[in-house]
Amino acid sequence: MSAITTLNPKAESARQAQALAINISAARGLAEMLKTNLGPKGTMKMLVSGAGDIKITKDGCTLLHEMQVQHLTAQDDITGDGATSIVLLIGELLKQADLYISEIVVDAVLALNEPGKPTDLNMVEIMEMQHRTEGDSRLVRGIVLDHVNAGFFYKNAEGRDRLVTSERKSIDDHVQKIVELKRKVCLGDDKNKIFVLVNQKGIDPLSLDILAKDGILALRRAKRRNMERITLSCGGEAMNSVENLTKDCHGFAQDALGEEKFTFIERCKNPKSVTVLLKGSTKYILNQLKEMHFVMVFVQ
């Protein structure tokens, strides 16, 4: 900011997302002006210079050179045959991209909207995934969990054996209570239903194996914010103890799918927290998309 002010005190500056929106608007405006020139039935444009000289043409290259375009995005000295077609093509691509982004954001806000109640935009999570292309970005009506890797190290084998012996029984009791709850909740239900356990802390491999044998999908090391959002999306209640587990404490979602190091919990009945999942082939594209979505969500 200081460098811009030093070079030109009258210069205007804009944030990344604002500048991108201005650039898209300028390119679309130029395309709107040139689109009537294209083809054999294209209309002519009359240009009047400051000295009163008149020039009539429908050549896109000539118009781009003769018009006093004030926006840098719409200026280009390297033009020739096909200038009009290229301007129209780029303008339409940017228009569709802008509409697509706007649609995702509007759907995210509407998913949380309740008549007569304020909409908590903090419950719209924007998550990046460097995978595929920006066209694969979408709204997840639920939660996308990104998992954290962690490890525990022992000083020696004897220390490990002592710790395992002292904790094993307590852990097995906790796991057994979770298994009993699952059997109560899923009793007589469709066999395709999966009981999912999401834990903010770690789960040891042996416990994971016990849970898996009973058809329980266990996800460990979920972020605290995601733990809070899961109850808003799926219902139920976050529990910090296995002593008071009841059927009423569990929530419901129709899908829990894994993709790389992400877990999707979606198609919830009445989500109060949603995720705007941004996909892009490079980090630069993800940054551009994230900045645009961030501004659009919090300006609603």
Side-chain angles (χ1 to χ4, degrees):
M1 184 70 69
S2 60
I4 294 175
T5 304
T6 302
L7 292 173
N8 184 359
K10 297 182 180 180
E12 296 182 2
S13 61
R15 291 184 58 189
Q16 182 179 2
Q18 294 171 325
L20 187 57
I22 293 171
N23 292 342
I24 290 176
S25 177
R28 288 179 59 182
L30 189 63
E32 286 293 320
M33 191 279 298
L34 290 180
K35 71 179 183 180
T36 55
N37 297 1
L38 191 65
K41 295 183 179 180
T43 58
M44 307 290 285
K45 297 289 190 302
M46 183 174 70
L47 302 175
V48 182
S49 69
D53 296 331
I54 297 177
K55 180 179 290 187
I56 299 177
T57 182
K58 70 170 186 174
D59 178 61
C61 179
T62 302
L63 289 170
L64 291 175
H65 278 293
E66 296 292 337
M67 289 189 308
Q68 296 183 2
V69 181
Q70 299 298 319
H71 196 281
L72 292 175
T73 301
Q75 294 176 351
D76 191 357
D77 291 333
I78 307 174
T79 54
D81 289 342
T84 301
S85 300
I86 292 299
V87 169
L88 297 184
L89 177 61
I90 294 174
E92 185 61 27
L93 288 174
L94 291 174
K95 178 182 178 180
Q96 295 302 320
D98 195 25
L99 290 174
Y100 179 72
I101 292 172
S102 301
E103 183 179 353
I104 293 178
V105 174
V106 170
D107 287 346
V109 175
L110 290 177
L112 304 181
N113 183 57
E114 289 186 82
K117 295 183 180 179
T119 302
D120 186 1
L121 296 181
N122 290 316
M123 288 300 105
V124 179
E125 181 83 357
I126 298 178
M127 179 168 290
E128 304 173 39
M129 182 184 293
Q130 191 166 331
H131 179 60
R132 298 186 180 179
T133 66
E134 56 271 28
D136 294 306
S137 299
R138 65 185 180 95
L139 173 66
V140 177
R141 297 181 182 273
I143 310 296
V144 179
L145 303 176
D146 51 337
H147 302 288
V148 180
N149 293 323
F152 189 85
F153 302 94
Y154 305 95
K155 291 183 178 179
N156 51 55
E158 290 76 12
R160 176 186 180 280
D161 291 339
R162 287 196 299 269
L163 184 62
V164 170
T165 301
S166 62
E167 292 188 355
R168 189 68 261 162
K169 186 179 186 306
S170 175
I171 293 174
D172 286 345
D173 291 341
H174 283 63
V175 171
Q176 190 57 40
K177 289 181 180 180
I178 294 172
V179 170
E180 291 174 359
L181 175 64
K182 182 260 180 180
R183 292 173 179 173
K184 291 178 182 178
V185 170
C186 300
L187 182 64
D189 283 354
D190 187 351
K191 293 183 179 179
N192 293 326
K193 289 186 177 180
I194 301 176
F195 189 93
V196 181
L197 169 68
V198 183
N199 191 29
Q200 188 177 344
K201 303 298 182 180
I203 304 176
D204 68 282
L206 184 57
S207 298
L208 289 172
D209 184 59
I210 296 173
L211 294 170
K213 287 180 179 178
D214 214 271
I216 298 175
L217 172 62
L219 306 174
R220 55 183 177 176
R221 304 198 185 283
K223 294 179 180 178
R224 180 175 179 177
R225 171 173 167 78
N226 286 334
M227 295 295 292
E228 296 171 353
R229 294 176 62 229
I230 287 174
T231 58
L232 292 172
S233 290
C234 304
E237 181 181 355
M239 306 295 292
N240 56 14
S241 171
V242 296
E243 302 303 324
N244 299 312
L245 294 179
T246 64
K247 291 184 178 181
D248 296 330
C249 70
H250 82 285
F252 176 83
Q254 286 186 274
D255 284 330
L257 305 175
E259 182 173 334
E260 296 180 354
K261 293 184 179 179
F262 297 86
T263 300
F264 293 68
I265 302 176
E266 55 184 318
R267 296 174 65 193
C268 307
K269 288 183 176 179
N270 187 25
K272 300 304 177 190
S273 182
V274 297
T275 304
V276 175
L277 180 63
L278 305 180
K279 292 189 177 185
S281 56
T282 65
K283 188 64 177 178
Y284 174 79
I285 292 176
L286 288 173
N287 288 338
Q288 294 286 325
L289 291 172
K290 185 176 182 180
E291 188 71 14
M292 288 188 67
H293 281 78
F294 179 83
V295 171
M296 294 181 71
V297 166
F298 291 95
V299 166
Q300 292 291 330

